[in-house]
Amino acid sequence: MLRIAVPNKGSLSETAVEMLVEAGYTGRRDPRALTVADPRNGVEFFYLRPRDIATYVGSGALDVGITGRDLLLDSSSEAREIQTLDFGDSTFRFAAVPGTVHELGDLEGRRVATSYPTLVGEFLARHGITARLVKLDGAVESAIRLGVADAVADVVSTGSTLRAQGLEIVGPVILESTAVLISARPEVDGIATLQRRLQGVLVARQYVLMDYDLPRALLAQAQAVTPGLESPTVSPLADPDWVAVRAMVPKDDTNHVMDALYDIGARAILVSPIHAARI
């Protein structure tokens, strides 16, 4: 059976489980369960700490896993990213008390607190900066106030948490992270199927099906608006001067596309969700 590592908690866990269920796999009914077998699909899930997943997958103990790109790079494991999953986005930045650090070079010889010492250390080394890294498991924003660091390196979304601690963002972006599928042996049987299923979930979330009726003479104009993935499906109607058209459309563009089609002359424009897909 294909052995799959899944985050058991944290920001990645809920969405990862939802994706796997949408992809047709068995979900975890008991939140305390550490393993779930899914013999129908030939897989077994192992629910692990997100930070440990790259280590297990990289060692070959598990075949494939879902984790953050940041955690993968910080682990220094043999696993590698094989697919992005489009959730759990985060940005890593440096922060310090205003006026104490103006640019990356000002971190030379300073203490930098972080939960990602390997990731941050490699970034500083690439830029020729030598700093003393202070490893913390969380709440690194307090490190400067408590006197154990001169700067911090951590996940930043709006920056409100840093500002609440009297800090400002400084220097370049360290990493743009996201949830990824990882493996040390991507050729293992079953991984390709898992990837296709997960990609199908991503497509289903990003697209809708749009159906509309249109005068045949306007088909070329409408196809420019809804080209589909390969091409739209065009079917004849009882009235030989009209056709029915179906195409996949990006979900975020739905109303703009509907407006454009109506202006061309399309009517009976309908939109339907996609529950699953294989592209």
Side-chain angles (χ1 to χ4, degrees):
M1 298 178 74
L2 185 70
R3 298 164 298 175
I4 304 173
V6 184
N8 66 349
K9 60 182 180 179
S11 59
L12 300 179
S13 178
E14 183 176 350
T15 305
V17 171
E18 287 176 355
M19 282 193 73
L20 289 166
V21 171
E22 289 181 37
Y25 295 102
T26 299
R28 182 170 63 164
R29 296 179 180 178
D30 182 354
R32 296 170 299 179
L34 300 180
T35 63
V36 173
D38 183 357
R40 181 182 180 188
N41 290 296
V43 303
E44 186 173 10
F45 296 104
F46 294 79
Y47 292 85
L48 305 168
R49 291 178 66 248
R51 183 169 285 278
D52 295 336
I53 287 175
T55 299
Y56 280 109
V57 174
S59 70
L62 298 176
D63 301 310
V64 64
I66 296 174
T67 190
R69 179 179 292 147
D70 54 333
L71 296 171
L72 170 63
L73 295 177
D74 196 60
S75 72
S76 298
S77 82
E78 296 298 319
R80 60 186 176 88
E81 179 181 326
I82 60 174
Q83 185 175 355
T84 60
L85 299 176
D86 293 346
F87 71 90
D89 294 349
S90 59
T91 303
F92 283 74
R93 301 293 300 269
F94 293 104
V97 174
T100 61
V101 177
H102 302 284
E103 57 186 24
L104 189 62
D106 293 335
L107 294 176
E108 179 68 33
R110 301 282 190 97
R111 300 168 300 169
V112 179
T114 182
S115 300
Y116 299 82
T118 302
L119 176 64
V120 174
E122 290 179 352
F123 178 86
L124 291 172
R126 287 196 301 271
H127 290 81
I129 306 297
T130 300
R132 176 188 167 193
L133 297 180
V134 180
K135 184 180 183 304
L136 299 174
D137 285 335
V140 299
E141 300 89 354
S142 302
I144 298 176
R145 176 174 293 183
L146 294 175
V148 300
D150 305 300
V152 300
D154 200 17
V155 177
V156 175
S157 52
T158 64
S160 59
T161 302
L162 294 173
R163 288 192 294 272
Q165 294 295 322
L167 307 179
E168 67 176 3
I169 296 172
V170 296
V173 172
I174 302 169
L175 176 72
E176 297 284 357
S177 185
T178 191
V180 294
L181 192 69
I182 66 171
S183 180
R185 300 176 299 159
E187 73 283 354
V188 168
D189 289 345
I191 291 182
T193 298
L194 172 65
Q195 289 185 267
R196 284 195 300 271
R197 289 193 179 193
L198 291 176
Q199 185 60 35
V201 172
L202 294 176
V203 170
R205 290 180 173 184
Q206 295 167 2
Y207 287 86
V208 294
L209 280 178
M210 188 169 292
D211 293 273
Y212 57 91
D213 297 342
L214 183 81
R216 186 182 295 272
L218 302 175
L219 186 56
Q221 295 179 56
Q223 285 180 317
V225 177
T226 58
L229 293 187
E230 282 82 22
S231 66
T233 300
V234 180
S235 305
L237 294 177
D239 185 338
D241 293 329
W242 282 72
V243 293
V245 182
R246 165 172 284 190
M248 291 175 63
V249 173
K251 185 179 296 185
D252 292 343
D253 297 338
T254 299
N255 285 289
H256 293 291
V257 172
M258 292 176 76
D259 292 339
L261 290 173
Y262 193 90
D263 290 341
I264 289 172
R267 295 296 183 265
I269 307 171
L270 304 175
V271 176
S272 305
I274 300 172
H275 295 292
R278 295 291 185 274
I279 303 301

PDB file of all heavy atoms in Angstrom, residues 5 7 12 16 53 64-73 80-88 176-183 198:
ATOM      1  N   ALA A   5       1.989  10.544   4.266  1.00  0.00           N
ATOM      2  CA  ALA A   5       2.066  11.340   5.488  1.00  0.00           C
ATOM      3  C   ALA A   5       1.178  12.575   5.341  1.00  0.00           C
ATOM      4  O   ALA A   5       1.238  13.287   4.330  1.00  0.00           O
ATOM      5  CB  ALA A   5       3.507  11.765   5.758  1.00  0.00           C
ATOM      6  N   PRO A   7      -0.375  16.081   7.603  1.00  0.00           N
ATOM      7  CA  PRO A   7      -0.247  16.874   8.831  1.00  0.00           C
ATOM      8  C   PRO A   7      -1.385  16.576   9.800  1.00  0.00           C
ATOM      9  O   PRO A   7      -2.549  16.539   9.405  1.00  0.00           O
ATOM     10  CB  PRO A   7      -0.318  18.323   8.325  1.00  0.00           C
ATOM     11  CG  PRO A   7       0.030  18.258   6.871  1.00  0.00           C
ATOM     12  CD  PRO A   7      -0.474  16.934   6.396  1.00  0.00           C
ATOM     13  N   LEU A  12      -1.938  23.579   7.934  1.00  0.00           N
ATOM     14  CA  LEU A  12      -1.995  22.751   6.740  1.00  0.00           C
ATOM     15  C   LEU A  12      -2.946  21.565   6.876  1.00  0.00           C
ATOM     16  O   LEU A  12      -3.406  21.014   5.878  1.00  0.00           O
ATOM     17  CB  LEU A  12      -0.599  22.212   6.396  1.00  0.00           C
ATOM     18  CG  LEU A  12       0.496  23.227   6.119  1.00  0.00           C
ATOM     19  CD1 LEU A  12       1.800  22.506   5.812  1.00  0.00           C
ATOM     20  CD2 LEU A  12       0.117  24.146   4.968  1.00  0.00           C
ATOM     21  N   ALA A  16      -5.454  19.921   3.865  1.00  0.00           N
ATOM     22  CA  ALA A  16      -4.862  18.702   3.305  1.00  0.00           C
ATOM     23  C   ALA A  16      -5.848  17.546   3.380  1.00  0.00           C
ATOM     24  O   ALA A  16      -6.025  16.798   2.407  1.00  0.00           O
ATOM     25  CB  ALA A  16      -3.576  18.354   4.041  1.00  0.00           C
ATOM     26  N   ILE A  53       7.251  15.424   8.900  1.00  0.00           N
ATOM     27  CA  ILE A  53       6.859  14.707   7.686  1.00  0.00           C
ATOM     28  C   ILE A  53       8.013  14.584   6.697  1.00  0.00           C
ATOM     29  O   ILE A  53       8.258  13.502   6.139  1.00  0.00           O
ATOM     30  CB  ILE A  53       5.631  15.379   7.039  1.00  0.00           C
ATOM     31  CG1 ILE A  53       4.396  15.078   7.890  1.00  0.00           C
ATOM     32  CG2 ILE A  53       5.428  14.908   5.595  1.00  0.00           C
ATOM     33  CD1 ILE A  53       3.132  15.771   7.425  1.00  0.00           C
ATOM     34  N   VAL A  64       5.305   9.242   0.449  1.00  0.00           N
ATOM     35  CA  VAL A  64       4.934  10.563  -0.040  1.00  0.00           C
ATOM     36  C   VAL A  64       4.248  11.296   1.100  1.00  0.00           C
ATOM     37  O   VAL A  64       3.727  10.681   2.036  1.00  0.00           O
ATOM     38  CB  VAL A  64       3.996  10.423  -1.272  1.00  0.00           C
ATOM     39  CG1 VAL A  64       2.695   9.751  -0.911  1.00  0.00           C
ATOM     40  CG2 VAL A  64       3.741  11.759  -1.950  1.00  0.00           C
ATOM     41  N   GLY A  65       4.267  12.626   1.064  1.00  0.00           N
ATOM     42  CA  GLY A  65       3.649  13.375   2.152  1.00  0.00           C
ATOM     43  C   GLY A  65       3.253  14.775   1.734  1.00  0.00           C
ATOM     44  O   GLY A  65       3.703  15.292   0.706  1.00  0.00           O
ATOM     45  N   ILE A  66       2.397  15.367   2.539  1.00  0.00           N
ATOM     46  CA  ILE A  66       1.982  16.754   2.348  1.00  0.00           C
ATOM     47  C   ILE A  66       2.558  17.581   3.483  1.00  0.00           C
ATOM     48  O   ILE A  66       2.365  17.272   4.659  1.00  0.00           O
ATOM     49  CB  ILE A  66       0.445  16.873   2.350  1.00  0.00           C
ATOM     50  CG1 ILE A  66      -0.152  16.113   1.166  1.00  0.00           C
ATOM     51  CG2 ILE A  66       0.015  18.344   2.305  1.00  0.00           C
ATOM     52  CD1 ILE A  66      -1.670  16.053   1.158  1.00  0.00           C
ATOM     53  N   THR A  67       3.279  18.633   3.142  1.00  0.00           N
ATOM     54  CA  THR A  67       3.868  19.503   4.156  1.00  0.00           C
ATOM     55  C   THR A  67       4.100  20.871   3.525  1.00  0.00           C
ATOM     56  O   THR A  67       3.750  21.110   2.371  1.00  0.00           O
ATOM     57  CB  THR A  67       5.181  18.907   4.693  1.00  0.00           C
ATOM     58  OG1 THR A  67       5.613  19.666   5.836  1.00  0.00           O
ATOM     59  CG2 THR A  67       6.282  18.903   3.644  1.00  0.00           C
ATOM     60  N   GLY A  68       4.703  21.777   4.281  1.00  0.00           N
ATOM     61  CA  GLY A  68       5.021  23.095   3.748  1.00  0.00           C
ATOM     62  C   GLY A  68       6.392  23.107   3.110  1.00  0.00           C
ATOM     63  O   GLY A  68       7.300  22.387   3.546  1.00  0.00           O
ATOM     64  N   ARG A  69       6.540  23.919   2.081  1.00  0.00           N
ATOM     65  CA  ARG A  69       7.859  24.055   1.444  1.00  0.00           C
ATOM     66  C   ARG A  69       8.890  24.527   2.459  1.00  0.00           C
ATOM     67  O   ARG A  69      10.060  24.100   2.419  1.00  0.00           O
ATOM     68  CB  ARG A  69       7.759  25.054   0.285  1.00  0.00           C
ATOM     69  CG  ARG A  69       9.074  25.291  -0.449  1.00  0.00           C
ATOM     70  CD  ARG A  69       8.874  26.273  -1.580  1.00  0.00           C
ATOM     71  NE  ARG A  69       8.043  25.704  -2.632  1.00  0.00           N
ATOM     72  CZ  ARG A  69       7.195  26.422  -3.391  1.00  0.00           C
ATOM     73  NH1 ARG A  69       7.077  27.724  -3.181  1.00  0.00           N
ATOM     74  NH2 ARG A  69       6.499  25.845  -4.333  1.00  0.00           N
ATOM     75  N   ASP A  70       8.496  25.398   3.369  1.00  0.00           N
ATOM     76  CA  ASP A  70       9.410  25.884   4.404  1.00  0.00           C
ATOM     77  C   ASP A  70       9.915  24.751   5.283  1.00  0.00           C
ATOM     78  O   ASP A  70      11.104  24.653   5.579  1.00  0.00           O
ATOM     79  CB  ASP A  70       8.723  26.959   5.248  1.00  0.00           C
ATOM     80  CG  ASP A  70       7.389  26.492   5.831  1.00  0.00           C
ATOM     81  OD1 ASP A  70       6.737  25.614   5.232  1.00  0.00           O
ATOM     82  OD2 ASP A  70       6.993  27.003   6.885  1.00  0.00           O
ATOM     83  N   LEU A  71       8.999  23.861   5.679  1.00  0.00           N
ATOM     84  CA  LEU A  71       9.388  22.736   6.526  1.00  0.00           C
ATOM     85  C   LEU A  71      10.268  21.744   5.776  1.00  0.00           C
ATOM     86  O   LEU A  71      11.195  21.155   6.355  1.00  0.00           O
ATOM     87  CB  LEU A  71       8.142  22.033   7.051  1.00  0.00           C
ATOM     88  CG  LEU A  71       7.260  22.878   7.983  1.00  0.00           C
ATOM     89  CD1 LEU A  71       5.950  22.167   8.263  1.00  0.00           C
ATOM     90  CD2 LEU A  71       7.994  23.201   9.271  1.00  0.00           C
ATOM     91  N   LEU A  72       9.991  21.555   4.496  1.00  0.00           N
ATOM     92  CA  LEU A  72      10.829  20.676   3.680  1.00  0.00           C
ATOM     93  C   LEU A  72      12.255  21.208   3.608  1.00  0.00           C
ATOM     94  O   LEU A  72      13.222  20.470   3.849  1.00  0.00           O
ATOM     95  CB  LEU A  72      10.241  20.563   2.273  1.00  0.00           C
ATOM     96  CG  LEU A  72      11.122  19.877   1.225  1.00  0.00           C
ATOM     97  CD1 LEU A  72      11.375  18.426   1.597  1.00  0.00           C
ATOM     98  CD2 LEU A  72      10.500  19.984  -0.161  1.00  0.00           C
ATOM     99  N   LEU A  73      12.408  22.485   3.287  1.00  0.00           N
ATOM    100  CA  LEU A  73      13.749  23.056   3.140  1.00  0.00           C
ATOM    101  C   LEU A  73      14.486  23.116   4.472  1.00  0.00           C
ATOM    102  O   LEU A  73      15.705  22.952   4.526  1.00  0.00           O
ATOM    103  CB  LEU A  73      13.642  24.452   2.525  1.00  0.00           C
ATOM    104  CG  LEU A  73      13.090  24.504   1.094  1.00  0.00           C
ATOM    105  CD1 LEU A  73      12.966  25.942   0.612  1.00  0.00           C
ATOM    106  CD2 LEU A  73      13.982  23.703   0.147  1.00  0.00           C
ATOM    107  N   ARG A  80      11.994  15.592  -1.859  1.00  0.00           N
ATOM    108  CA  ARG A  80      11.933  16.774  -2.719  1.00  0.00           C
ATOM    109  C   ARG A  80      10.499  17.071  -3.118  1.00  0.00           C
ATOM    110  O   ARG A  80       9.622  16.219  -3.076  1.00  0.00           O
ATOM    111  CB  ARG A  80      12.799  16.580  -3.962  1.00  0.00           C
ATOM    112  CG  ARG A  80      12.425  15.412  -4.853  1.00  0.00           C
ATOM    113  CD  ARG A  80      13.448  15.263  -5.960  1.00  0.00           C
ATOM    114  NE  ARG A  80      13.211  14.093  -6.803  1.00  0.00           N
ATOM    115  CZ  ARG A  80      12.436  14.085  -7.881  1.00  0.00           C
ATOM    116  NH1 ARG A  80      11.792  15.194  -8.242  1.00  0.00           N
ATOM    117  NH2 ARG A  80      12.284  12.993  -8.605  1.00  0.00           N
ATOM    118  N   GLU A  81      10.291  18.289  -3.473  1.00  0.00           N
ATOM    119  CA  GLU A  81       8.963  18.748  -3.877  1.00  0.00           C
ATOM    120  C   GLU A  81       8.606  18.176  -5.239  1.00  0.00           C
ATOM    121  O   GLU A  81       9.380  18.294  -6.186  1.00  0.00           O
ATOM    122  CB  GLU A  81       8.969  20.274  -3.923  1.00  0.00           C
ATOM    123  CG  GLU A  81       7.683  20.920  -4.356  1.00  0.00           C
ATOM    124  CD  GLU A  81       7.794  22.433  -4.382  1.00  0.00           C
ATOM    125  OE1 GLU A  81       8.519  23.005  -3.526  1.00  0.00           O
ATOM    126  OE2 GLU A  81       7.165  23.060  -5.249  1.00  0.00           O
ATOM    127  N   ILE A  82       7.420  17.553  -5.345  1.00  0.00           N
ATOM    128  CA  ILE A  82       6.998  17.002  -6.630  1.00  0.00           C
ATOM    129  C   ILE A  82       5.713  17.633  -7.154  1.00  0.00           C
ATOM    130  O   ILE A  82       5.362  17.427  -8.309  1.00  0.00           O
ATOM    131  CB  ILE A  82       6.829  15.463  -6.562  1.00  0.00           C
ATOM    132  CG1 ILE A  82       5.778  15.059  -5.528  1.00  0.00           C
ATOM    133  CG2 ILE A  82       8.154  14.794  -6.272  1.00  0.00           C
ATOM    134  CD1 ILE A  82       5.472  13.561  -5.540  1.00  0.00           C
ATOM    135  N   GLN A  83       5.016  18.413  -6.317  1.00  0.00           N
ATOM    136  CA  GLN A  83       3.786  19.062  -6.773  1.00  0.00           C
ATOM    137  C   GLN A  83       3.386  20.148  -5.775  1.00  0.00           C
ATOM    138  O   GLN A  83       3.437  19.934  -4.565  1.00  0.00           O
ATOM    139  CB  GLN A  83       2.653  18.038  -6.903  1.00  0.00           C
ATOM    140  CG  GLN A  83       1.355  18.586  -7.475  1.00  0.00           C
ATOM    141  CD  GLN A  83       0.329  17.474  -7.690  1.00  0.00           C
ATOM    142  OE1 GLN A  83       0.610  16.293  -7.501  1.00  0.00           O
ATOM    143  NE2 GLN A  83      -0.865  17.852  -8.092  1.00  0.00           N
ATOM    144  N   THR A  84       3.007  21.320  -6.274  1.00  0.00           N
ATOM    145  CA  THR A  84       2.464  22.348  -5.396  1.00  0.00           C
ATOM    146  C   THR A  84       0.966  22.131  -5.261  1.00  0.00           C
ATOM    147  O   THR A  84       0.304  21.644  -6.182  1.00  0.00           O
ATOM    148  CB  THR A  84       2.735  23.758  -5.947  1.00  0.00           C
ATOM    149  OG1 THR A  84       2.125  23.880  -7.241  1.00  0.00           O
ATOM    150  CG2 THR A  84       4.231  24.010  -6.073  1.00  0.00           C
ATOM    151  N   LEU A  85       0.409  22.518  -4.106  1.00  0.00           N
ATOM    152  CA  LEU A  85      -0.983  22.208  -3.799  1.00  0.00           C
ATOM    153  C   LEU A  85      -1.854  23.457  -3.601  1.00  0.00           C
ATOM    154  O   LEU A  85      -3.033  23.352  -3.269  1.00  0.00           O
ATOM    155  CB  LEU A  85      -1.061  21.319  -2.560  1.00  0.00           C
ATOM    156  CG  LEU A  85      -0.348  19.961  -2.705  1.00  0.00           C
ATOM    157  CD1 LEU A  85      -0.391  19.191  -1.395  1.00  0.00           C
ATOM    158  CD2 LEU A  85      -0.957  19.144  -3.843  1.00  0.00           C
ATOM    159  N   ASP A  86      -1.273  24.626  -3.778  1.00  0.00           N
ATOM    160  CA  ASP A  86      -2.039  25.879  -3.816  1.00  0.00           C
ATOM    161  C   ASP A  86      -2.837  26.179  -2.555  1.00  0.00           C
ATOM    162  O   ASP A  86      -3.966  26.670  -2.620  1.00  0.00           O
ATOM    163  CB  ASP A  86      -2.969  25.892  -5.033  1.00  0.00           C
ATOM    164  CG  ASP A  86      -2.215  25.953  -6.354  1.00  0.00           C
ATOM    165  OD1 ASP A  86      -1.017  26.256  -6.327  1.00  0.00           O
ATOM    166  OD2 ASP A  86      -2.821  25.681  -7.400  1.00  0.00           O
ATOM    167  N   PHE A  87      -2.276  25.888  -1.393  1.00  0.00           N
ATOM    168  CA  PHE A  87      -2.877  26.368  -0.149  1.00  0.00           C
ATOM    169  C   PHE A  87      -1.763  26.513   0.881  1.00  0.00           C
ATOM    170  O   PHE A  87      -0.640  26.076   0.674  1.00  0.00           O
ATOM    171  CB  PHE A  87      -3.990  25.433   0.352  1.00  0.00           C
ATOM    172  CG  PHE A  87      -3.522  24.101   0.885  1.00  0.00           C
ATOM    173  CD1 PHE A  87      -3.208  23.938   2.226  1.00  0.00           C
ATOM    174  CD2 PHE A  87      -3.414  22.991   0.052  1.00  0.00           C
ATOM    175  CE1 PHE A  87      -2.785  22.711   2.728  1.00  0.00           C
ATOM    176  CE2 PHE A  87      -2.997  21.763   0.536  1.00  0.00           C
ATOM    177  CZ  PHE A  87      -2.674  21.620   1.890  1.00  0.00           C
ATOM    178  N   GLY A  88      -2.081  27.127   1.991  1.00  0.00           N
ATOM    179  CA  GLY A  88      -1.080  27.305   3.038  1.00  0.00           C
ATOM    180  C   GLY A  88       0.032  28.257   2.655  1.00  0.00           C
ATOM    181  O   GLY A  88       1.174  28.102   3.109  1.00  0.00           O
ATOM    182  N   GLU A 176       8.987  32.365  -0.171  1.00  0.00           N
ATOM    183  CA  GLU A 176       7.542  32.281  -0.379  1.00  0.00           C
ATOM    184  C   GLU A 176       7.188  30.800  -0.283  1.00  0.00           C
ATOM    185  O   GLU A 176       7.578  30.003  -1.134  1.00  0.00           O
ATOM    186  CB  GLU A 176       7.153  32.823  -1.758  1.00  0.00           C
ATOM    187  CG  GLU A 176       7.455  34.297  -1.970  1.00  0.00           C
ATOM    188  CD  GLU A 176       6.471  35.203  -1.276  1.00  0.00           C
ATOM    189  OE1 GLU A 176       5.507  34.678  -0.666  1.00  0.00           O
ATOM    190  OE2 GLU A 176       6.660  36.430  -1.314  1.00  0.00           O
ATOM    191  N   SER A 177       6.461  30.430   0.765  1.00  0.00           N
ATOM    192  CA  SER A 177       6.164  29.026   1.001  1.00  0.00           C
ATOM    193  C   SER A 177       4.725  28.704   0.651  1.00  0.00           C
ATOM    194  O   SER A 177       3.866  29.586   0.577  1.00  0.00           O
ATOM    195  CB  SER A 177       6.429  28.665   2.471  1.00  0.00           C
ATOM    196  OG  SER A 177       6.244  27.281   2.687  1.00  0.00           O
ATOM    197  N   THR A 178       4.453  27.420   0.442  1.00  0.00           N
ATOM    198  CA  THR A 178       3.110  26.927   0.168  1.00  0.00           C
ATOM    199  C   THR A 178       3.082  25.437   0.494  1.00  0.00           C
ATOM    200  O   THR A 178       4.143  24.835   0.714  1.00  0.00           O
ATOM    201  CB  THR A 178       2.713  27.181  -1.297  1.00  0.00           C
ATOM    202  OG1 THR A 178       1.325  26.920  -1.478  1.00  0.00           O
ATOM    203  CG2 THR A 178       3.527  26.302  -2.246  1.00  0.00           C
ATOM    204  N   ALA A 179       1.906  24.852   0.532  1.00  0.00           N
ATOM    205  CA  ALA A 179       1.814  23.415   0.757  1.00  0.00           C
ATOM    206  C   ALA A 179       2.284  22.667  -0.485  1.00  0.00           C
ATOM    207  O   ALA A 179       1.962  23.057  -1.618  1.00  0.00           O
ATOM    208  CB  ALA A 179       0.386  23.014   1.093  1.00  0.00           C
ATOM    209  N   VAL A 180       3.033  21.597  -0.275  1.00  0.00           N
ATOM    210  CA  VAL A 180       3.585  20.832  -1.389  1.00  0.00           C
ATOM    211  C   VAL A 180       3.467  19.338  -1.106  1.00  0.00           C
ATOM    212  O   VAL A 180       3.387  18.910   0.049  1.00  0.00           O
ATOM    213  CB  VAL A 180       5.066  21.185  -1.652  1.00  0.00           C
ATOM    214  CG1 VAL A 180       5.199  22.627  -2.132  1.00  0.00           C
ATOM    215  CG2 VAL A 180       5.915  20.956  -0.403  1.00  0.00           C
ATOM    216  N   LEU A 181       3.457  18.578  -2.188  1.00  0.00           N
ATOM    217  CA  LEU A 181       3.545  17.120  -2.101  1.00  0.00           C
ATOM    218  C   LEU A 181       5.012  16.762  -2.261  1.00  0.00           C
ATOM    219  O   LEU A 181       5.673  17.245  -3.191  1.00  0.00           O
ATOM    220  CB  LEU A 181       2.708  16.479  -3.199  1.00  0.00           C
ATOM    221  CG  LEU A 181       2.455  14.965  -3.098  1.00  0.00           C
ATOM    222  CD1 LEU A 181       1.532  14.671  -1.921  1.00  0.00           C
ATOM    223  CD2 LEU A 181       1.844  14.445  -4.397  1.00  0.00           C
ATOM    224  N   ILE A 182       5.534  15.922  -1.369  1.00  0.00           N
ATOM    225  CA  ILE A 182       6.959  15.608  -1.393  1.00  0.00           C
ATOM    226  C   ILE A 182       7.172  14.099  -1.438  1.00  0.00           C
ATOM    227  O   ILE A 182       6.337  13.317  -0.997  1.00  0.00           O
ATOM    228  CB  ILE A 182       7.697  16.196  -0.172  1.00  0.00           C
ATOM    229  CG1 ILE A 182       7.210  15.527   1.128  1.00  0.00           C
ATOM    230  CG2 ILE A 182       7.511  17.704  -0.111  1.00  0.00           C
ATOM    231  CD1 ILE A 182       8.030  15.883   2.350  1.00  0.00           C
ATOM    232  N   SER A 183       8.311  13.699  -1.988  1.00  0.00           N
ATOM    233  CA  SER A 183       8.692  12.289  -2.017  1.00  0.00           C
ATOM    234  C   SER A 183      10.184  12.184  -2.267  1.00  0.00           C
ATOM    235  O   SER A 183      10.779  13.061  -2.900  1.00  0.00           O
ATOM    236  CB  SER A 183       7.926  11.536  -3.109  1.00  0.00           C
ATOM    237  OG  SER A 183       8.312  10.166  -3.136  1.00  0.00           O
ATOM    238  N   LEU A 198      -5.101  14.750  -6.961  1.00  0.00           N
ATOM    239  CA  LEU A 198      -4.958  16.049  -6.308  1.00  0.00           C
ATOM    240  C   LEU A 198      -5.027  17.179  -7.323  1.00  0.00           C
ATOM    241  O   LEU A 198      -5.616  18.237  -7.060  1.00  0.00           O
ATOM    242  CB  LEU A 198      -3.645  16.106  -5.529  1.00  0.00           C
ATOM    243  CG  LEU A 198      -3.571  15.199  -4.292  1.00  0.00           C
ATOM    244  CD1 LEU A 198      -2.186  15.267  -3.669  1.00  0.00           C
ATOM    245  CD2 LEU A 198      -4.631  15.582  -3.269  1.00  0.00           C
TER     246      LEU A 198
END
